[in-house]
């Protein structure tokens, strides 16, 4: 009597899933992105899936995009503030990658239908002028490597069921990044106390959310330092010229076609995007 095929072992330290399953999940997410659909939570279907598995899924997505000609321009950090952790029920930060075709300038009009579960967050972004790598970096080391700090809105695009998601789900989905809208007002990294930049988030001129940048780990540069440390564990680093979204200090705001979202920052101008 045949014993049947042997089970496929997980691939590598910290992994709970084998490579075949990881590629299958990357394929499912790629199709959900194309169709603007959703898939069932990975954490529910594969409870053995680990954080390393989810970053493996994300790396496949990134590699395929780069092979198709997409150009990496930065990274996003998510779930760094209590506001976002409370909104999602997830208490550990995550990160994703930003490609050139995911960036817009303030004032642009964008097509709402190109994304799924569309929400907007208020953030600060760091423009690097030197590489950052390694664990345990300080705020000063991050600021030394920063050319400018700019206001930004992140447009979220989720392809995994929202209710009950875990960190495994969000990382696999490139940390739910849809796009970044960058403001025109730049400041030097030490021109202001980056822990005390307030912002109002308005939808159609109505204030929906408010926040202070110190909500991101006490100082948004600490989010960048966390990212550098996490990338070091994966043999990667932040490069000069990259745009780093440090994490939202407001809860995500749902938007619909026809909405105009405007974030007004304390002494840093505004960022606006219209959804058609």
């Amino acid at each position: 009597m045949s014993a049947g095929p042997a089970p496929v072992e997980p691939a590598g330290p910290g992994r709970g899933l084998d490579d075949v399953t990881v590629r299958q999940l990357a394929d499912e997410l790629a199709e959900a992105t194309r169709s603007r659909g959703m898939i069932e939570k990975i954490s529910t279907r594969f409870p053995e899936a680990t954080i390393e598995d989810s970053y493996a899924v994300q790396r496949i997505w990134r590699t395929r995009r780069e092979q198709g000609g997409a150009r990496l321009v930065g990274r996003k950090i998510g779930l760094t503030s209590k506001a976002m952790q409370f909104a999602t029920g997830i208490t550990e930060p995550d990160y994703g990658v930003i490609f050139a075709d995911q960036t817009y300038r303030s004032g642009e009009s964008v097509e709402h239908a190109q994304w799924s579960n569309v929400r907007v967050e208020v953030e600060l972004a760091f423009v690097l002028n030197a590489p950052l790598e390694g664990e345990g970096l300080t705020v000063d080391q991050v600021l030394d490597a920063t050319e400018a700090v700019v206001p930004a809105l992140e447009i979220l695009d989720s392809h995994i069921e929202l209710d009950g998601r875990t960190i495994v789900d969000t990382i696999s989905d490139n940390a739910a990044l849809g796009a970044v809208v960058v403001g025109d007002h730049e400041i030097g990294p030490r021109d202001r106390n980056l822990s005390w930049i307030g912002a109002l988030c308005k939808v159609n001129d109505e204030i929906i959310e408010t926040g202070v940048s110190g909500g991101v780990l006490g100082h948004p540069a600490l989010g960048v330092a966390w990212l550098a440390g996490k990338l070091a564990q994966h043999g990667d680093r932040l490069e000069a010229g990259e745009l780093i979204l440090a994490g939202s200090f407001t809860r995500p705001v749902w938007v619909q076609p026809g909405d105009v979202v405007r974030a007004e920052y304390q002494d840093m101008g505004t960022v606006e995007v219209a959804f058609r």
Side-chain angles (χ1 to χ4, degrees), residues 76-259:
K76 71 149 285 185
I77 312 165
L79 306 174
T80 51
S81 69
K82 293 298 183 184
M84 281 303 300
Q85 291 177 1
F86 179 80
T88 61
I90 300 171
T91 58
E92 179 176 345
D94 62 5
Y95 73 82
V97 295
I98 306 170
F99 289 104
D101 62 2
Q102 295 175 295
T103 61
Y104 297 91
R105 300 302 306 185
S106 178
E108 291 195 54
S109 173
V110 299
E111 183 184 358
H112 185 278
Q114 68 183 296
W115 300 299
S116 175
N117 298 294
V118 187
R119 292 148 292 148
V120 172
E121 299 174 349
V122 176
E123 313 200 14
L124 293 179
F126 289 67
V127 180
L128 301 183
N129 60 13
L132 278 172
E133 60 181 324
E135 300 185 59
L137 296 181
T138 65
V139 166
D140 280 336
Q141 286 174 307
V142 172
L143 298 182
D144 287 343
T146 299
E147 176 72 23
V149 178
V150 297
L153 291 173
E154 180 182 354
I155 300 172
L156 296 177
D157 181 26
S158 297
H159 304 102
I160 295 179
E161 292 174 329
L162 298 180
D163 188 37
R165 285 179 304 166
T166 72
I167 192 72
V168 165
D169 301 303
T170 62
I171 293 170
S172 299
D173 198 19
N174 195 38
L177 176 72
V180 183
V181 184
V182 181
D184 298 322
H185 190 104
E186 296 184 354
I187 63 172
R190 291 185 170 87
D191 289 350
R192 291 284 310 280
N193 183 342
L194 296 182
S195 292
W196 286 101
I197 295 178
L200 307 175
C201 182
K202 297 181 177 181
V203 179
N204 306 325
D205 292 325
E206 179 184 0
I207 297 175
I208 303 298
E209 275 291 324
T210 64
V212 177
S213 54
V216 178
L217 299 176
H219 194 294
L222 287 174
V224 181
W226 172 87
L227 176 58
K230 197 70 175 178
L231 288 175
Q233 297 173 17
H234 297 146
D236 199 359
R237 71 176 188 177
L238 299 172
E239 300 292 349
E242 287 194 33
L243 177 77
I244 313 299
L245 278 178
S248 177
F249 50 92
T250 65
R251 291 176 296 183
V253 173
W254 285 91
V255 293
Q256 304 299 327
D259 285 343

